[in-house]
Structure formats: C-alpha cells, structure tokens
Amino acid sequence: MPASVPIYMDNHATTRVDPRVVEAMFPYFTEQYGNAGSIGHAFGEAAREAVEQSRTVIASAIGAEPEEIVFTSGATESNNLAIRGVAERPKRRGDHLVSVQTEHKAVLDPLARLARRGYDVTLLEVEPHGSSRAGWLDRQRVADVLRDDTALVSVMLANNEIGVLQPIAEIAAICRERGVTFHCDATQAVGKLPVDVRTLGVDLMSFTAHKMYGPKGIGALYVRRTRPAVRLEAQITGGGQQDGLRSGTLNVAGIVGFAAALQLCTLELPAEIERLAKLRDRLWQLLRSRIDGAELCGPNLTGQAATGGPLRLPGNLDVAFGNVDGEALLLAMGNLAVSSGAACSSTDPSPSHVLLALGLTEDLARSTLRFGLGRFNTIAEVEAAAETVAAAVARLRELR
Ligand SMILES: Cc1ncc(COP(=O)(O)O)c(C=O)c1O
C-alpha cells in the first residue's frame, strides 16, 4: 500500500528547517534587517554583530578560528571556490588535480571543466560493491598518484549516496607531507558526526546549512589561515566583502540560522548518532527480511574504520532491490519520500555515477533506493516505510 501520511526519508537531499532555527532567524528579516556592510548606523552594526557571533559559533563547532570561515551560498559554491580557487592561482604547484570517482557533482563538474582547459585530473577508484568497505578509498591510492605538480587533492568526508566515511585524517596527512593542498567536501558530515578541522588536518572544507536542519542558500568554506595559510583566487568579485575572497552582501538571516542549526546539532550529536543508527539498522533488517534479493550498497553497517570509528553515516541506507525500476518504485510508494539510484538528479536521467563506480550494473543501479534518516523520523515511520517499500516491490515485480 502506498504510504498514506507523508513520510520524509530524503534527509541527504535536504532537511526540514528546525522550528528553533526559524525562530532564531526571524528577527533578522523583520527588525534587524540592516546590511552587515553598512557603517555608521545601528542597523548595520546589529547585522554585523550577528554575523560575527554566528561566525564564531560555526568556527568553534568545527575547531576553526572565526577568520577561517568564508560564507557562501552553499556547498556547491564552497567546492567551486576551493577547487578553482586553488587551481587558478597564478602561483600554484602545477596543474595536476586529484579526486575520487564517487565525489558529488559539485566537485566532479568543476574538475571536468578544468580538465577541458588543460588541467590533468586523476579520479581515483574505490573499493567495489560486495566488499565490506564498498565505496571506501584506500589512502595508498592517493599516495601513489601524488606528483611534484599536484596542486590539490579533494576527497569527501561522507558520501551522499552510500554514506561511506573516508579516512580523511590519513589522506590529509599524506598530502601535508608532500606539500599538496587538501580539500574535503564535508557537506554530509558536519552536524551529523564530530568534525574537527585540526584533528582532520584539512586545508579547505565545504559544508552547508540545509543538510543540518538549517536554511537553504547558505554554506561555508573553511580556509586554513596558518601553518600554512591557504591562498585562493576569488571566484566572485565585487564589493570586496569577506577580505575580497567572496564578495556579495552577506545573508544575515541565513548565517544566523546556519549557526543556530549547527549549535543544535552539536548539542544533540551523541544521542542522535545512536538513535539514527538504530533506526537505520531496523529499516535494513525489515527490508532484507521482506524483500528477496535486497542488497546493501556501500560499506557494512557495523564496519569499523582502522581508527575505531564507524565506516558509514548513521542515518544512511542504500539498497539495491534488483528486478524493479527505482523510478517506478518511487511513483508506486506515494507519500514515502526517498531517492532513487535511477536518476541522481532531475536534470540527468543516467543511473547514479556513484553506484556505477562501485561496479553495479546499470539495471541494478536503477533498482536502488537511498534512505536518509533524520531528526524528525520515528520508529513508527521506519516500520511503515519498510511495509510500503516491500508492497511496492512485490507489486512491480508481479507486473514484470
Ligand atoms: C556531498 C555534497 N556536496 C555538495 C552538495 C551541494 O550542496 P549545496 O546544495 O549546499 O550546494 C551536496 C548536496 O547535495 C552534497 O551532498
């Protein structure tokens, strides 16, 4: 039966804004609506103060200094600023750029454009489907391709489809030893796991508010300012805001919401990690017991990294059902909102490049669903979702 009450389990795509975040933002639309760049009146002063306070909160949540936070419109822009900002510096180490086949398009597309302009881009492979660490990147693969002209390595912390967590601290250490700037797209991890830029040793790190119960249209790039300071070529120029690194009037209400959202996530983190992992494990248990041939995509749910931490985001589950089309499945499930490996975006009809990079066939990739559990999901929703998916798969298989 299609779900009758809407159930939202697409929290990797975006999250509902927490009402506490909306409340924190509200005065910055209606009362304190000044431009943070305005000098000489109280409206500008109040906006500037709110921005700087928020910058401090966000920086401290990730172990950075306030001046290391550059606000952007989201992680897509942060990734572009990091990658093109390093690659287009007139004084750079060279034109070799390294990343991974399973990165988000917001990393792969800027790299592809640079490749068309003559840069040499290496995209690394990951552990294949079926392995207990499917999707994981062995740091040795990075070490093996670094060259004297490598300007940048970019590896994501948590994958947005299969939830695999990469060994960022180990990879960053290799890059540092070889003098290569290291960027991490931590969009799916910040707010969901403890993330500390100093412990990880990253030089640049992207993240965004709308994946952590904050508003859309506001993100940040962490830019290391010491030992060594990272220099970037600005990508958006104009009024010279944020030290000229990213011009444009600051989104004050968005920035306040971003800080409130991250603060809440940080407070609730330990309990939420445990709760989401339990919900996720229960969902998998129900799906595999009810649906013949259900296969887990990505690393084992109980897998451990060498450092003892988990190998997978707590709220992530990606399942290939086989013998069914993911898009038809989405339609058959009515009000259950998840996403399908059939079309990774509404503008691109091809199957997920992440699943293909893991070695899934096109048919198997097209039969997958990604579940992203979040703050507002309950055990009752998990049980209803499993029932809805099982019924829809059975019905579609019968029609085949
Ligand atoms: C890993 C990853 N990087 C980047 C982005 C882009 O983020 P934004 O929507 O803030 O531009 C996303 C969002 O889907 C993501 O999951």
Side-chain angles (χ1 to χ4, degrees), residues 68-375:
E68 294 179 311
I69 303 297
V70 178
F71 289 114
T72 63
S73 61
T76 300
E77 188 191 329
S78 301
N79 287 344
N80 272 267
L81 176 56
I83 294 167
R84 290 158 55 194
V86 169
E88 293 174 358
R89 282 281 297 168
K91 268 169 87 182
R92 57 180 180 269
R93 250 175 132 237
D95 288 353
H96 182 223
L97 309 167
V98 177
S99 190
V100 190
Q101 292 178 349
T102 47
E103 292 290 308
H104 192 272
K105 291 281 167 105
V107 162
L108 294 177
D109 195 68
L111 288 172
R113 281 168 184 256
L114 289 164
R116 289 200 286 278
R117 283 168 45 194
Y119 287 80
D120 187 4
V121 175
T122 302
L123 293 182
L124 301 169
E125 290 181 7
V126 292
E127 299 300 301
H129 180 58
S131 130
S132 60
R133 297 183 159 199
W136 190 74
L137 175 69
D138 191 325
R139 67 179 158 175
Q140 194 55 42
R141 290 186 200 259
V142 178
D144 288 347
V145 298
L146 293 185
R147 314 190 306 221
D148 291 343
D149 66 339
T150 307
L152 181 77
V153 172
S154 178
V155 179
M156 73 201 320
L157 204 168
N159 186 277
N160 49 298
E161 290 192 38
I162 51 171
V164 62
L165 304 177
Q166 302 297 7
I168 295 301
E170 288 88 336
I171 296 169
I174 290 170
C175 292
R176 171 163 278 241
E177 209 172 281
R178 301 282 296 269
V180 178
T181 302
F182 180 69
H183 166 247
C184 178
D185 176 355
T187 303
Q188 293 288 346
V190 176
K192 296 176 187 166
L193 294 169
V195 174
D196 183 290
V197 290
R198 304 273 178 241
T199 312
L200 292 176
V202 297
D203 298 313
L204 297 159
M205 189 177 86
S206 306
F207 53 115
T208 193
H210 77 97
K211 311 283 188 186
M212 55 173 97
Y213 316 98
K216 294 169 186 58
I218 182 72
L221 180 67
Y222 156 77
V223 183
R224 178 190 285 277
R225 289 290 168 112
T226 52
R227 289 184 292 137
V230 177
R231 306 245 174 264
L232 297 175
E233 196 68 6
Q235 300 298 314
I236 295 180
T237 58
Q241 289 93 340
Q242 305 197 79
D243 287 336
L245 206 48
R246 200 282 193 174
S247 285
T249 298
L250 287 166
N251 173 0
V252 180
I255 290 169
V256 169
F258 192 178
L262 185 48
Q263 208 163 23
L264 285 171
C265 286
T266 308
L267 271 176
E268 297 173 1
L269 203 63
E272 189 63 353
I273 290 175
E274 219 183 291
R275 192 185 76 88
L276 287 181
K278 274 195 189 141
L279 288 185
R280 189 265 320 269
D281 293 352
R282 175 75 180 142
L283 181 58
W284 174 227
Q285 192 190 32
L286 289 171
L287 291 174
R288 72 192 298 201
S289 66
R290 290 184 192 184
I291 304 173
D292 275 350
E295 272 182 61
L296 183 69
C297 300
N300 281 356
L301 302 189
T302 51
Q304 295 255 308
T307 47
L311 262 187
R312 189 164 186 143
L313 269 180
N316 171 272
L317 186 68
D318 198 271
V319 183
F321 296 102
N323 290 323
V324 69
D325 181 69
E327 267 184 306
L329 200 49
L330 284 187
L331 293 175
M333 293 188 310
N335 280 333
L336 173 61
V338 293
S339 84
S340 143
C344 50
S345 79
S346 49
T347 52
D348 181 359
S350 49
S352 146
H353 70 279
V354 173
L355 299 176
L356 296 183
L358 256 57
L360 270 77
T361 60
E362 288 212 6
D363 273 354
L364 197 56
R366 282 186 200 283
S367 76
T368 64
L369 292 181
R370 175 189 71 177
F371 301 84
L373 299 167
R375 180 176 291 166

